[in-house]
Amino acid sequence: MITYNIEITYCTQCRWLLRAAWLAQELLITFEQDLTGVTLKPGSNGIFEVSLNQKLLFSRKEVGRFPEAKEVKQLVRDYIDPERDLGHSDKANHPDILKPLMP
């Protein structure tokens, strides 16, 4: 059985713990049967990154903004179960929404 672990690295200097915890909650609710864990990892220097099984899905530094919950959900879904319907989170995205960083 494949295990899926998400890691959210956030900047402690910027006080982004609550943002990281909220995103973790959203992912745990949406993928409660699929994820083996979501880890919050303290970092510094403005970092805010989301990885799945150590593969980078989103980097605030690369994109220049924070992720929307629905786009992270779509990126996770596309990796673990591309056929899954995410309901309202599958609605069309804003044109600036991130393209996946991983192949």
Side-chain angles (χ1 to χ4, degrees):
M1 180 176 175
I2 298 174
T3 60
Y4 298 106
N5 296 293
I6 291 178
E7 184 175 275
I8 302 171
T9 306
Y10 64 95
C11 180
T12 58
Q13 297 162 319
C14 302
R15 305 278 188 213
W16 290 338
L17 172 59
L18 289 178
R19 184 183 297 264
W22 170 78
L23 184 56
Q25 174 184 311
E26 287 290 314
L27 293 168
L28 285 166
I29 290 169
T30 302
F31 300 102
E32 63 188 349
Q33 301 299 316
D34 304 294
L35 299 177
T36 54
V38 176
T39 303
L40 300 179
K41 182 179 173 186
S44 59
N45 299 319
I47 193 167
F48 195 92
E49 294 180 343
V50 181
S51 300
L52 176 63
N53 290 353
Q54 300 181 341
K55 293 184 182 185
L56 185 63
L57 292 179
F58 188 95
S59 170
R60 187 192 74 81
K61 191 173 275 188
E62 280 192 37
V63 181
R65 63 174 175 79
F66 286 100
E68 293 184 29
K70 74 178 194 175
E71 73 185 299
V72 175
K73 289 178 185 182
Q74 290 170 351
L75 292 169
V76 170
R77 181 272 318 270
D78 291 349
Y79 188 77
I80 66 174
D81 186 5
E83 301 301 315
R84 181 181 298 183
D85 179 15
L86 293 175
H88 70 280
S89 290
D90 268 337
K91 299 243 188 295
N93 283 327
H94 187 274
D96 292 336
I97 295 298
L98 169 75
K99 301 266 189 274
L101 293 176
M102 55 187 250

